[in-house]
Amino acid sequence: MNRLGKCVFGIVLLAISLFSHAADLERGKREYKLCAGCHGFEGAGNRLVGAPSIGGQQAWYLARQLDNFRQRIRGSDADDSQAQSMAVMSQALDDAGATEDLLAYIASLPTPVILATSIQGDADAGRALYATCTACHGPDGRGDESLQAPALITLSPWYQVAQLQKFKNGQRGRDVRDNFGRQMAPMAAVLPDEQAMHDVVAYISSLAD
């Protein structure tokens, strides 16, 4: 089985496990204490430490990213200190049941209120730029599990801009094992400059209204 096949097979097994496992939310809440220091007690994120909002995000996407951090698919770049920190933290979850309970607890957290004013962007200009994103993330920015494309409207605008920059400069999406990240990297490269990133993210934020 090639690397892509193993990745897809692993995601399928994890999804089956998530649905078959009877979640223990109290245990998940206890596990989440380690996450709350950066992501906040309600999963709203913290810009000061570069931690994204995770409340309202799909469990399947969070599961994949946790696995990416564990395997150092994310977090191996020496210049990406936030991802390096998360790669270390992900090692604390060495029990599959604990991971599933944690993800179930995160799924129970409220979807954060996203404020587009946290960045300076032109939503009208961003509307045209977002046209290339709709095929995967949907016209409403709610993502598509069948394409493994996460919801964007639950993510803080500053974090989205930071990730677009990382995809464009090669800090994310270059690992040969990261099939979905490698698909995203050329999409970010289409955006000519940082202002374009701010514009498209301002438009995405407007979809959450």
Side-chain angles (χ1 to χ4, degrees), residues 57-109:
Q57 186 56 267
Q58 298 104 321
W60 56 264
Y61 178 72
L62 295 177
R64 191 175 87 226
Q65 296 312 307
L66 272 176
D67 191 52
N68 283 349
F69 282 120
R70 284 196 198 97
Q71 296 187 56
R72 293 282 179 164
I73 294 173
R74 289 182 68 181
S76 61
D77 191 290
D79 295 323
D80 191 350
S81 59
Q82 290 92 358
Q84 284 186 318
S85 296
M86 186 61 205
V88 172
M89 299 300 285
S90 69
Q91 302 304 316
L93 288 165
D94 56 0
D95 179 89
T99 301
E100 293 159 17
D101 293 335
L102 170 65
L103 292 171
Y105 178 72
I106 293 173
S108 75
L109 296 175

Side-chain angles (χ1 to χ4, degrees), residues 7-18:
C7 177
V8 173
F9 183 65
I11 291 171
V12 170
L13 286 180
L14 180 55
I16 293 172
S17 178
L18 284 171

Side-chain angles (χ1 to χ4, degrees), residues 1-13 64 67-68 71 73 146-148 175-183:
M1 185 182 293
N2 60 26
R3 287 175 175 171
L4 174 57
K6 289 179 180 178
C7 177
V8 173
F9 183 65
I11 291 171
V12 170
L13 286 180
R64 191 175 87 226
D67 191 52
N68 283 349
Q71 296 187 56
I73 294 173
S146 67
L147 298 174
Q148 290 292 296
D175 193 297
V176 295
R177 297 169 294 172
D178 188 4
N179 183 58
F180 301 108
R182 292 178 72 190
Q183 292 175 13

Side-chain angles (χ1 to χ4, degrees), residues 11-173:
I11 291 171
V12 170
L13 286 180
L14 180 55
I16 293 172
S17 178
L18 284 171
F19 282 109
S20 62
H21 175 76
D24 183 341
L25 291 182
E26 284 302 315
R27 183 187 185 191
K29 186 176 182 178
R30 292 194 299 271
E31 296 289 345
Y32 185 73
K33 289 180 180 179
L34 185 64
C35 313
C38 291
H39 294 283
F41 287 102
E42 293 193 336
N46 186 340
R47 187 173 187 175
L48 293 177
V49 295
S53 51
I54 53 178
Q57 186 56 267
Q58 298 104 321
W60 56 264
Y61 178 72
L62 295 177
R64 191 175 87 226
Q65 296 312 307
L66 272 176
D67 191 52
N68 283 349
F69 282 120
R70 284 196 198 97
Q71 296 187 56
R72 293 282 179 164
I73 294 173
R74 289 182 68 181
S76 61
D77 191 290
D79 295 323
D80 191 350
S81 59
Q82 290 92 358
Q84 284 186 318
S85 296
M86 186 61 205
V88 172
M89 299 300 285
S90 69
Q91 302 304 316
L93 288 165
D94 56 0
D95 179 89
T99 301
E100 293 159 17
D101 293 335
L102 170 65
L103 292 171
Y105 178 72
I106 293 173
S108 75
L109 296 175
T111 300
V113 176
I114 301 301
L115 300 176
T117 53
S118 65
I119 60 164
Q120 298 300 314
D122 183 340
D124 290 332
R127 181 191 300 270
L129 294 170
Y130 186 71
T132 59
C133 312
T134 58
C136 292
H137 296 283
D140 56 3
R142 296 183 183 278
D144 187 332
E145 184 175 359
S146 67
L147 298 174
Q148 290 292 296
L152 301 176
I153 58 173
T154 64
L155 293 171
S156 303
W158 61 264
Y159 179 76
Q160 293 189 60
V161 170
Q163 296 311 299
L164 284 171
Q165 291 171 333
K166 290 179 181 182
F167 277 120
K168 189 166 184 174
N169 67 24
Q171 289 182 327
R172 184 175 175 185

